[in-house]
Amino acid sequence: MTNNKEQWSSRFGFIMAAAGSAIGLGNLWKFPYITGTNGGAVFLLLYIVFLVLLGIPILLSELSIGRFAGMNAIDSCKKIDSKWGFAGAFGIAGAFGVMSSYCVVGGWVIRYIINSVTDAGMSADYFSEFSSRGLEPILWTLVFMAITCFIVTGGVAKGIERVSSILLPILIVFLLGIMIYSLTLPNAIEGVKFFLVPDFSEIEGFSGFMRIALNAMGQVFFSLSLGMGTLITYGSYLPKESRLLQSTVTVVVMDTVIALAAGFAILPAVFSFGLEPGGGFGLIFQTLPVVFSRMNGGTFISAIFFVLVLFAALTSSISLLEVIVAWVCTKTKLTRTWAAIIVSALIFAAGSLASLSVGAVPQLSVGDVPLFNFFTFMSDKVIMPLGGFFICLLTGWIWGIPNASEEISNSGKLKFRARKLFSVTVRYIAPALIAVIFVTSVFSGE
Ligand code: PHE
């Protein structure tokens, strides 16, 4: 029996929604850059190892818990053990934290789509000037939040699933198109080298290796939307006969292919125009506009590119909002529409403060860390890993491998050959790895 009335209408729709949640800003701006600066192929290899040791077991655990319990993140964890609701609560808190900065960035992306069309603001300095304006970025944040809210009010099948099933395929096709174009530019090979050629100078010594490993683990977490209750919530809308392991592997493969495609689309173009890729947001908001302004037909490609970034951001932001809305709807008598509006308003309020903290009002900070960075740090480095850690313990030790396997194999109807591997990773390897990331990143204060 599931307690949810809502369900995905098709397997394709669910995969698009779950992959849409995973494929986001983490793939389009973070992955290309972080790979390039962390030893190229060395990073990639570690990333793939962590996909297997952390990504697949945690994603599978979250989906299984969700489908088993059929409720929001907190109540699903409680259904497994009444004392474990806190594991899901990390997700809800984390989703709020991630959304408070994600919606600000989503707003910037909308502004950049308009810039591409009007051919204005396509220089490297524009970004700091724009983001330090007080009111304007907040208005774009509002537009992004309003779109996210509107989709979520449509419900699971008619809102989230329908929109993801349209936006994600468009994103994949056009991103592959841009990738092919970018790879054929003169000197594109320099970008490919930056992206993939192993740079062993980065791994000199143990500490160099640890830094790369930590970055790879962090990226696996963020990119697959783990530890946020997203996959528990999406899993709760799955019909009982769905194939959990197959869906998990499909989402992981799609997320990785798109991250690689983003690297091949962005870096060759950057190097072809003689630029160096900037880190973090600088890559898409400062370096790329310069690339587009020098490219033949750059205005058009720029517009398409930022529309794709917007699509990627939206299919992720709806999953974050849904985690909170699903919970609010069961805890209060609010309808989905009102729950989405109220939660969106709260996120918008936090997002506005975050936006001001990196622009007009730097006093909005915790210590000397602007609120925007504080939200990002707390959600990426603290709440997500802790959420993932407790999900592993809940699945591996409290629920237990026999019960989890019963769910994953649809009560023995499907073969679950990787059961041993799942058991070892979810019970020992994943929690141990997360503990290492967590302790190291908190102590290094990164
Ligand atoms: N995975 C998304 C990205 O790559 C971000 C995200 C994190 C979405 C956590 C939902 C939950 O951008």
Side-chain angles (χ1 to χ4, degrees):
M1 271 300 286
T2 96
N3 294 6
N4 275 309
K5 277 168 253 97
E6 296 200 75
Q7 277 199 346
W8 305 110
S9 71
S10 70
R11 180 178 139 74
F12 174 80
F14 161 68
I15 295 284
M16 290 300 115
S21 167
I23 296 168
L25 297 168
N27 305 57
L28 292 188
W29 66 265
K30 205 164 172 197
F31 186 83
Y33 176 77
I34 206 173
T35 307
T37 51
N38 280 271
V42 180
F43 176 89
L44 200 61
L45 210 70
L46 283 171
Y47 183 81
I48 291 169
V49 170
F50 292 132
L51 279 180
V52 176
L53 296 181
L54 283 173
I56 293 182
I58 301 180
L59 214 162
L60 184 58
S61 300
E62 288 200 23
L63 282 183
S64 313
I65 292 173
R67 195 187 66 178
F68 167 76
M71 289 184 267
N72 65 71
I74 296 185
D75 291 326
S76 287
C77 293
K78 271 193 190 156
K79 181 157 174 185
I80 288 178
D81 185 304
S82 57
K83 291 195 225 53
W84 276 72
F86 72 91
F90 273 99
I92 305 219
F96 193 90
V98 173
M99 262 314 269
S100 310
S101 50
Y102 221 82
C103 65
V104 176
V105 182
W108 296 341
V109 174
I110 299 179
R111 171 77 239 194
Y112 271 70
I113 298 176
I114 296 171
N115 287 353
S116 313
V117 177
T118 58
D119 218 359
M122 300 307 275
S123 74
D125 311 326
Y126 174 81
F127 180 63
S128 53
E129 189 259 312
F130 160 69
S131 56
S132 62
R133 291 178 201 163
L135 195 60
E136 200 201 321
I138 295 183
L139 288 178
W140 296 116
T141 304
L142 179 62
V143 174
F144 181 82
M145 231 20 254
I147 304 175
T148 305
C149 176
F150 178 72
I151 300 172
V152 169
T153 56
V156 175
K158 296 217 171 81
I160 298 172
E161 177 178 345
R162 187 189 283 170
V163 169
S164 306
S165 304
I166 298 170
L167 301 192
L168 196 64
I170 297 179
L171 185 152
I172 295 173
V173 170
F174 278 85
L175 186 65
L176 293 178
I178 297 185
M179 178 183 96
I180 293 168
Y181 176 75
S182 182
L183 284 170
T184 53
L185 289 168
N187 248 339
I189 191 72
E190 290 308 314
V192 177
K193 280 189 191 153
F194 172 81
F195 189 32
L196 290 184
V197 169
D199 179 359
F200 292 104
S201 65
E202 292 277 347
I203 48 172
E204 257 172 35
F206 181 68
S207 65
F209 178 77
M210 272 308 277
R211 183 179 58 82
I212 298 177
L214 289 179
N215 283 333
M217 283 193 257
Q219 179 65 12
V220 164
F221 251 88
F222 188 77
S223 194
L224 289 178
S225 311
L226 303 177
M228 287 275 138
T230 321
L231 281 319
I232 299 183
T233 310
Y234 275 17
S236 74
Y237 306 133
L238 275 172
K240 285 291 177 201
E241 64 282 359
S242 52
R243 294 166 176 255
L244 295 172
L245 181 60
Q246 211 181 53
S247 305
T248 301
V249 174
T250 311
V251 170
V252 170
V253 169
M254 283 178 73
D255 187 64
T256 311
V257 168
I258 292 303
L260 286 169
F264 286 121
I266 294 173
L267 297 170
V270 170
F271 279 88
S272 177
F273 288 92
L275 296 167
E276 285 284 319
F281 291 118
L283 177 60
I284 59 173
F285 294 114
Q286 289 170 317
T287 313
L288 279 185
V290 177
V291 172
F292 292 133
S293 69
R294 295 186 189 169
M295 200 181 251
N296 285 336
T299 327
F300 179 63
I301 297 184
S302 171
I304 295 185
F305 176 79
F306 283 108
V307 168
L308 298 185
V309 179
L310 178 65
F311 285 1
L314 276 175
T315 51
S316 297
S317 67
I318 53 181
S319 73
L320 288 160
L321 181 58
E322 178 63 19
V323 172
I324 313 174
V325 167
W327 174 68
V328 170
C329 281
T330 36
K331 285 296 130 199
T332 62
K333 294 218 163 60
L334 291 173
T335 59
R336 167 177 279 278
T337 304
W338 277 108
I341 292 173
I342 292 170
V343 175
S344 299
L346 292 173
I347 293 172
F348 170 64
S352 305
L353 298 178
S355 172
L356 289 171
S357 76
V358 284
V361 193
Q363 295 83 344
L364 286 168
S365 60
V366 179
D368 50 8
V369 182
L371 267 188
F372 181 95
N373 304 52
F374 179 74
F375 288 154
T376 327
F377 173 82
M378 283 304 287
S379 40
D380 294 6
K381 299 279 158 100
V382 181
I383 299 177
M384 277 182 112
L386 282 180
F389 180 77
F390 290 120
I391 291 296
C392 290
L393 297 189
L394 179 63
T395 311
W397 298 94
I398 309 291
W399 197 21
I401 300 299
N403 289 329
S405 306
E406 175 79 4
E407 187 67 30
I408 295 166
S409 67
N410 294 358
S411 309
K413 284 193 216 71
L414 303 172
K415 288 217 168 63
F416 181 32
R417 288 199 198 88
R419 178 183 158 135
K420 269 259 159 59
L421 181 65
F422 176 68
S423 170
V424 176
T425 46
V426 94
R427 282 157 67 95
Y428 303 102
I429 302 179
L433 281 175
I434 299 170
V436 174
I437 322 179
F438 182 66
V439 171
T440 322
S441 64
V442 168
F443 279 103
S444 69
E446 264 179 42

